Amino acid sequence: MRLIDSHIHLYTEKHLPHLSWMTPDSPLHGPHSVQEYLDEAPSDDIEGFVFIETDRSYAALPKLEDSDSTWLSTLAQPLEEYTFALSLNEEAPPQRRRERHPQLLGVLPWAPLPLGPAGVSRWLSLLPPSPLLKGFRYLVQDKPNGTISTPDFIAALLDLRRRGLAFDLGVDLHARGVTHVAEAVSALEAVFAAPDQGARGAIVVNHLCKPDLTLPTAAVRESEVFKGWAQTFRRLAACEDVYVKLSGGFSELDWERVESEAEMVDALRPWVRETFEIVGASRVMWGSDWPVCGIGYAKFGGGKEGKKGASAVWRRICETLLGEMGLSEAELEGVWAGNARRAYRL
């Protein structure tokens, strides 16, 4: 079965000062290239990958009335990341440029959604056109309450949908709580309630909304956090063209407590099963979240170098969880590749 990795991040040494979250002591400090990704991922069964923006830094959003030169200078880093991403296929090692070598299949760069449809249009006019542009991401997980629920942001989401472009939604249940996730869901409900949905670009929810995997396994289903999260997912499931990524779990585990892969599976099981029960296998896609999957795993694997192999372990854990659910071959193909292909129009 051929796989599509729906969520990876790549950057070079020169990009490190421009990543808003990067610190010198981070396990991710250092370049993370296509070659490194391929070294850790079995290239013989991965068809390709989707590049997701990495939250490049910028001083402030420009104003709509600002000149193109002001936009280009203010947003130089997000723009540079997009052009860098478009070049990734060319940077594949020569020995791996063969028919079955994993390819960049799509790019989801940053976009100024708080500026509304006019801001999206302006940004699109400044980006080099490419068939690899499949949508955008603007992280909500670290923004003030109310960011996604403004009329401009909701109108921008609807504008992307009408253009047939996807939007990757990054929210954080673990750090921000149920109300943070519910606010995003309310915004999506407003989008899907609008007339004239156009080309119907997908909404892709990152990392199961980042669940709290530190909860005691036996008590997860009875916790208020889990119940609130499940309720928001039921509302999400009622919105058509919403997909969920089976990714990002390693960032939410309690690595001081986890001692084996079996315990990782146990921590993830209730959240993953509930996702499939509510959303359905036809709207879940797998992603490695490489190299971010190595942040927590570095503690488990033994320091900064221990992050190597995290993506392979994450895949193995997902295989275990999916194997427990008795999915059909068609459903498994969808989770591993087909659903990403459909959502992003790869």
Side-chain angles (χ1 to χ4, degrees), residues 87-109:
S87 71
L88 288 173
N89 280 342
E90 301 171 5
E91 295 181 6
Q95 68 272 23
R96 284 184 159 169
R97 289 181 191 155
R98 59 182 187 270
E99 185 179 350
R100 294 179 64 80
H101 162 63
Q103 294 290 314
L104 171 70
L105 300 178
V107 177
L108 278 86

Side-chain angles (χ1 to χ4, degrees), residues 178 185 189 225-237 274 278:
V178 173
V185 173
E189 289 173 332
V225 171
F226 183 88
K227 291 177 181 178
W229 167 85
Q231 182 58 41
T232 62
F233 260 49
R234 291 186 187 96
R235 292 167 58 191
L236 274 175
E274 193 77 2
I278 293 173

Side-chain angles (χ1 to χ4, degrees), residues 208 246 268-277 321 325:
L208 308 178
L246 177 55
L268 281 152
R269 183 180 289 110
W271 304 91
V272 173
R273 285 193 174 181
E274 193 77 2
T275 296
F276 276 82
E277 288 175 10
L321 289 164
M325 288 188 282

Side-chain angles (χ1 to χ4, degrees), residues 137-203:
R137 186 171 80 156
Y138 179 91
L139 274 178
V140 178
Q141 65 192 43
D142 59 348
K143 303 300 187 296
N145 292 336
T147 296
I148 196 172
S149 56
T150 65
D152 279 342
F153 204 114
I154 292 171
L157 289 173
L158 180 58
D159 182 61
L160 292 184
R161 182 160 166 77
R162 287 171 174 165
R163 293 174 185 269
L165 293 170
F167 175 71
D168 259 41
L169 174 65
V171 291
D172 194 337
L173 175 76
H174 192 169
R176 302 284 297 275
V178 173
T179 55
H180 165 69
V181 178
E183 178 190 330
V185 173
S186 294
L188 296 185
E189 289 173 332
V191 171
F192 286 97
D196 182 20
Q197 295 285 308
R200 294 175 50 177
I203 303 291

